[in-house]
Each structure stands twice: as C-alpha cells, then as structure tokens.
Amino acid sequence: MRRGKLELVWSYYYDHTTMKRHFEKMAGKGWALDRMGIFWHYHRIRPKSLHYAVGYFPGGGVYAPPTGEELTFEEYCEMAGWELAAEHGPMKIFCNERENPVPLETQADIQVENIRRGSRRVRIIDATLGAIGWLILIYFMLNLYFDGVRTLSSGAGLFFAFVGLLLGIYGLVELITYQSWYQRAKANARRDLSFTPTKGHPVISKTILFLAIASAVFYALTATGGILMLAVAAGYFIVYYFQDIIRNRMRGKGANTAVNLGVNFVIAFLIFFAIFNGYQYFNFSDTAGEKYYEKKGFHWDGQEAPLTLQKLETPGFDGKGYVDTQNIQSSVFLSRMEIEEFYNESLSGAKGDPGYYLDYVVAKVKLPSLYGFARSSMERTYETGKNWQPLDPWETGEREEIHVCQTTLTRNNLQIFRYLLCMEDRIVKIDLSFAPDKEGQKMILEVLGEI
Amino acid sequence: MARAKFQTLTEQMFYILLCLRQECCGMDIMEKVRKMTGDRVNIGPGTLYNLLDQFSQAEMIVETKVEGRRKSYILTETGKEALQAEYERICVQAADYRHYMEVQENEKGET
C-alpha cells in the first residue's frame, strides 16, 4: 500500500476555494496534505472528513525562517484547531479535525485584502511568464509569415511556440479570473461583508499542465538531443521534490535564509551534475552517423552533399576556395535541408575561381494538407522583388513533368538564377550562378527529388 | 486616517475592542468573545490576528505585555473613543427602531 502521494500543483495561487475543496476531497480518499512546493505532498491516513482552509500571510517567505509574527499567527490558528499542514511563501494551508470549526477568516474584506497582497508576487510572475508566452507566439507567427517552411520544420521552434501559447493562456486565464473575482469580492465585502468564493477554472489549468508535459515528452522523444532534454526535465522535478522536503524542514527548524538557499542550491547542483555526467557516460548521443540524416527525413549515399557544383560538372570548376554549409531540421510537419556552396578564401584558405554559387533548400512535406502553405511560403520567402516567372516544365526520363518558376537576383556581383521546383511531396528552391542545361536539370530533379 | 478607516466598526471589531477594555491576551480574545456573545459571534484566528495588527497600527490598542508569543493588549484613548462612538451609533439605531415601532403601534391603535 502506498504511503505517500505526489501531485503537481495545478491550481492558481490565489484560488483558495478550489484548493480547500480539493484537499478535503483527498482527505476523504485517505490522503492528508503534509507539505507543498511545486508538488502537493500527501501521506496516507484513514479516510475521514477533514476541514481545510487556505490562509495568506503577506510577507511570509519561501526560504526565510518564520518570523515571530508568523508564528503568532499560526498559534492563533492552532487555538481554533487549525493545524498548519503545508505552506509556501505567504500561503499557509491549515487542517482542522473539529466537526464545526470556526472559519479561519470571518471578515470578508480582510480575507480579500490578504489574498490580494499574499498572491501578488506569484501573480506578477505568472503574468510576466504569460506575457513572455504571448511574445514567443507573436515571434513564431512573424517567422511563420516570413519563413514558414523553416519555422514549421523546426521541432524546437514548434515546441517553444506551443509552450508559449500554453503559458500565455495560463497567464491570461489567471489575470481574468483573478480580476473578476477580486472586483466582485471587494464589492460584496464592502456591501454586506459577504464572502465570495474564488473560481480558478481548474480544468483549464490541469489541461495546460497536461499538454505542457505531453508536448515536452513528445519533443524529447522525437528531437535530436531530446533524451538530454527529458533528463533535464526529470532532474527539474527531482530537484523540486527534494527541495520541497528539505526547504520546509530547514525553514521549520529556523535555519537562516542563506543556509537554506545554499543547501538547496548544492542539492540542485549535485542532481544536475549527475544527470549531465550520466548522459555523457552512457553516451546517449543520437546525432551521429547516417541515422542523423534519416531521422531528419533525408537519405542519400556517400558522405558528400547530395548535389554539389562538382557533380553538376560546371565547366572550369576546380573546387578551390569553395566551402559548403548545411542546415537540416525536421518536425512532424516538414523536413527542411539547406546546403550552400560558395567561394570564400578566408574560410577555405585556398584560392580559386570565384565564379560559381550553389544553394538549395529542400522542403519535404510530411502532411499533404500543408503542401499549398509550404509552396506559397517558399514563394514569399525567396521572392527577390521580381515576380516568379513560370518556365516550361523540367523533365526527366521516368519522372513526370515538374512545375518550375524562376526569378533572378544578384549576389556579390554574381547573377543568380533562382528556381522553385514543385514536386509531388516536396518543394525545392535552388540558386545557381548559371542556368542549368537539360542534363543539369535532370540531375537536379533526380538528386533532389530522391533524397 | 485611522478614524476614517474605523468610522463604523464591524461586529467583530466591536467585540474585540470591548474585550480589550481590560488587558487581555490576543489568543484569549476568541474564547472571550464567544462566551460574551453566547456563541453568537465567532472570530476566526486569521481575522483576529489581522484586526489586532490593524488596531495596533491605528493606535487604538497598545501592547502591554509579551510572554513568549503571548502578547497582551489594552485599549488606548483612541480605541475607547472608537468603541464609545460605535456604541452610541448602535444606541441611536436602537432608539430610531423603538421610535419607529411606537409610531407604528400608535397609528394601528388610532385606526
């Protein structure tokens, strides 16, 4: 039989009514709250009816030892049968076994003011995180407009945008529900001293929490280096689990703030030290070898880039002074690969003929319904100020005709021919310093259509 | 400022101040008020703590003794004035009530 239970804190800090009801329900199921932090920690009891009350003591610290005033407040509560069950900063959760206890708060205006002052710091943090969440989302939307394919093919970008959205909703819901409660509660207290229960919409906060964890796990299991992220996330929860216990114990024993913070910092450091070293030791690296490309949605034979100036048999090209860069990323929606080959003496350290340039972006669409979006997005991203001109379709022996658009631009005094090739499951943008002949077109279609 | 804040007292404020006409420990006030009002008025510990704090800040009560965490208080002149003013306000209300009821009774008798 389990002796303890953990629950991630899912209610808003100010929402004392929801918390009180929840703890009373848990006591009925045989779980009594005994501490809190980012988790609610319960221990097993005989199922019984217990009364809970959430009080706020503005000024109460998380790491600082309780002040004399705080202890006096707790003693007053004890006199009325309210035993301190758990606390976190200004929030103090009391439990009472008496049948009809005197409520913790019997004057509504004082309760409203205490909740406002006691929850202010957490509300400011939540609102700031919410604002950051909306900013991330705005940044994501702008990127989606200007370079939709790159944005949608980045697993990390999608994950952060999704988390940003969740944070934004979380902060906004708290702001709205708190403000509407506070205005009503203040008016009711002023009018007839009546109490107004808080209502923080726990379904929304629980859903947000679930989606955030689910998306983090999904991202961690599908992204390159995701195992490390999963380990860090697990480490975060382990750190907080121990901190909830140690911080509360040290605080209860009157340890000063610096010592409490120091001990908790050392624990966090040791846990993360073990995680990072364990990761290195067991070498969970999932980025090596050919599997890296396959995982990202591309595969081709050999170590070289699939298409190079050399392979295109450009006349007079000797490769001296040329360097190439590549960028590959993948998400559940798209895979995107960009390879650029250009002349640069300072990077390559060799001298050659600076007359050639090659850059191509292959966007593989995993979700067919996104094809139209990916195409228009690439047309927008790679437009040069001149309109895309439709060309006669490029052809290759067995393949069907491929629709092609062309535009031109100038790069380092070099005229560049830019093509957009719309294939069945992918869209390719290719920049060349020369107009490819039939053979070149065939090679481009064959190579970039197969990888 | 203090007078404006405590212009009228709530029932709980009234009884706390009434208790503190004599020196009394903060923790004992809950029980004293309960007995004084025959269980009609109960003061929650959170409310009591906050009200004592507010009364102290408004200089309506003053700390007289500290034994460990047991603090005793007593009313100041300002507190006595506030209590007296509240008492008079309640008396005026009661007088108004009585007067109104008498008039009603008389009108009924005449008809």
Side-chain angles (χ1 to χ4, degrees), chain A residues 137-381:
Chain A
L137 202 67
I138 290 168
Y139 179 71
F140 175 81
M141 298 305 280
L142 287 173
N143 277 328
L144 200 61
Y145 176 78
F146 288 110
D147 194 349
V149 166
R150 189 193 292 267
T151 309
L152 272 191
S153 60
S154 163
L158 286 172
F159 170 68
F160 284 113
F162 188 62
V163 170
L165 174 69
L166 295 178
L167 273 178
I169 293 172
Y170 184 85
L172 192 63
V173 170
E174 182 177 29
L175 188 71
I176 293 169
T177 54
Y178 170 78
Q179 283 302 334
S180 90
W181 168 79
Y182 178 67
Q183 297 306 332
R184 273 187 300 121
K186 208 165 74 168
N188 291 345
R190 195 175 290 160
R191 190 183 59 242
D192 55 11
L193 285 175
S194 64
F195 287 88
T196 311
T198 52
K199 194 179 175 191
H201 297 287
V203 174
I204 297 176
S205 43
K206 276 183 191 175
T207 308
I208 287 172
L209 200 63
F210 171 77
L211 289 176
I213 293 171
S215 62
V217 170
F218 179 78
Y219 171 66
L221 294 177
T222 53
T224 308
I227 302 288
L228 180 62
M229 196 199 125
L230 202 60
V232 169
Y236 173 82
F237 286 121
I238 294 167
V239 164
Y240 272 97
Y241 169 76
F242 285 114
Q243 286 204 351
D244 286 352
I245 297 171
I246 291 162
R247 184 189 60 230
N248 281 303
R249 276 198 189 151
M250 289 185 69
R251 191 172 183 271
K253 285 180 181 167
N256 78 39
T257 314
V259 173
N260 199 337
L261 268 170
V263 168
N264 280 285
F265 177 79
V266 169
I267 289 166
F269 178 81
L270 289 176
I271 290 172
F272 279 109
F273 183 79
I275 286 170
F276 282 109
N277 279 285
Y279 181 80
Q280 294 292 332
Y281 181 77
F282 291 109
N283 195 19
F284 281 121
S285 174
D286 48 5
T287 59
E290 287 174 14
K291 278 191 176 171
Y292 171 75
Y293 296 104
E294 277 181 31
K295 201 173 175 186
K296 296 279 184 184
F298 294 98
H299 51 86
W300 66 86
D301 297 328
Q303 298 292 315
E304 269 190 356
L307 188 70
T308 59
L309 288 166
Q310 189 83 47
K311 285 180 184 169
L312 282 167
E313 293 178 358
T314 33
F317 177 78
D318 60 4
K320 284 179 185 165
Y322 283 81
V323 288
D324 63 274
T325 61
Q326 57 173 258
N327 175 283
I328 302 179
Q329 56 187 30
S330 181
S331 73
V332 286
F333 302 122
L334 293 168
S335 289
R336 179 187 183 277
M337 177 175 74
E338 177 166 16
I339 293 181
E340 187 180 20
E341 196 175 358
F342 57 95
Y343 180 79
N344 191 309
E345 283 177 5
S346 55
L347 279 176
S348 67
K351 289 207 172 199
D353 179 4
Y356 294 101
Y357 179 74
L358 168 68
D359 176 77
Y360 52 92
V361 174
V362 183
K364 279 173 95 169
V365 184
K366 295 179 183 174
L367 215 62
S369 53
L370 280 178
Y371 189 89
F373 168 79
R375 179 177 172 165
S376 58
S377 167
M378 284 185 76
E379 282 174 356
R380 186 168 51 240
T381 304

